[in-house]
Each structure stands twice: as structure tokens, then as C-alpha cells.
């Protein structure tokens, strides 16, 4: 924009108004493309990424719950009427998904 104000009285633009219009529209197009890219990326980060994170967390919790139920079935020990998991390398490896 500063370039336009500094060179407004340029003989090139006074003689050829088409060059002036081309420069104005070119600058406007460049700014609109830049703004569109910034808004689209910002919109994705603000609106879409949090939803994807929530979905991944929910899937992870569901998978962990299944793994925990399987661990109780395989390794569970009943003490005083309560089903508990022993602290052992086998149980840890199973819960970590290494088995």
C-alpha cells in the first residue's frame, strides 16, 4: 500500500490506467490469498484438531478399558472379596501392549 501512495503520481500510471488497475488488483489478490490461507489453517487448528484429539482419546480409553478387563480375566487375584491385579512384569507388559 505504501508503494501505491509513494508512486501515485508516477507518469506510468497517469498515462496507462490499466497498469494502475493491474497493480491494485494484483495486490488485492495477493492479500486475499494470504488471508484465506491464514484463516483456513487457523480454522482447522481451532475447530477440527480438538475434535480429532477428543476422538483419539476416546478410542484410547476404550482400548485401555478392554485391555484392563482382559488383564483382570487373565491375571486377576481375589483378595478379601475384591478382584485385584498383582504387580508383576507380566501384568505390566500386558497392560503396556507389549504382549
Amino acid at each position: 500500500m505504501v508503494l501505491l501512495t509513494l508512486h501515485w503520481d508516477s507518469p506510468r500510471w497517469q498515462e496507462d490506467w490499466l497498469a494502475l488497475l493491474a497493480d491494485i488488483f494484483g495486490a488485492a489478490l495477493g492479500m486475499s490469498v494470504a488471508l484465506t490461507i491464514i484463516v483456513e489453517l487457523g480454522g482447522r487448528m481451532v475447530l477440527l484438531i480438538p475434535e480429532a484429539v477428543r476422538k483419539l482419546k476416546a478410542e484410547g480409553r476404550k482400548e485401555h478399558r478392554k485391555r484392563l478387563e482382559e488383564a483382570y480375566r487373565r491375571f486377576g487375584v481375589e483378595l478379601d472379596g475384591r478382584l485385584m491385579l498383582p504387580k508383576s512384569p507380566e501384568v505390566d507388559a500386558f497392560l503396556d501392549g507389549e504382549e
Side-chain angles (χ1 to χ4, degrees):
M1 202 59 169
V2 173
L3 184 64
L4 286 175
T5 58
L6 290 177
H7 301 289
W8 182 257
D9 59 347
S10 169
R12 179 178 139 222
W13 283 342
Q14 288 179 359
E15 294 171 7
D16 188 12
W17 58 270
L18 192 58
L20 173 64
L21 284 179
D23 289 343
I24 291 171
F25 287 126
L29 178 67
M31 287 187 285
S32 66
V33 167
L35 182 66
T36 301
I37 290 171
I38 290 170
V39 168
E40 284 295 321
L41 291 177
R44 278 190 203 280
M45 288 190 297
V46 171
L47 300 174
L48 298 177
I49 291 176
E51 182 60 35
V53 168
R54 279 192 288 275
K55 183 179 175 184
L56 289 173
K57 281 183 179 180
E59 289 174 4
R61 287 185 191 113
K62 183 188 276 186
E63 183 180 328
H64 181 70
R65 231 182 341 264
K66 284 181 185 177
R67 208 130 185 59
L68 199 55
E69 289 172 3
E70 179 65 25
Y72 275 115
R73 267 187 273 135
R74 280 189 181 184
F75 306 107
V77 176
E78 190 170 333
L79 293 174
D80 297 329
R82 295 183 64 193
L83 190 60
M84 302 178 81
L85 286 175
K87 182 69 176 163
S88 68
E90 294 84 17
V91 174
D92 288 341
F94 181 79
L95 289 176
D96 290 339
E98 297 170 1
E99 186 178 300

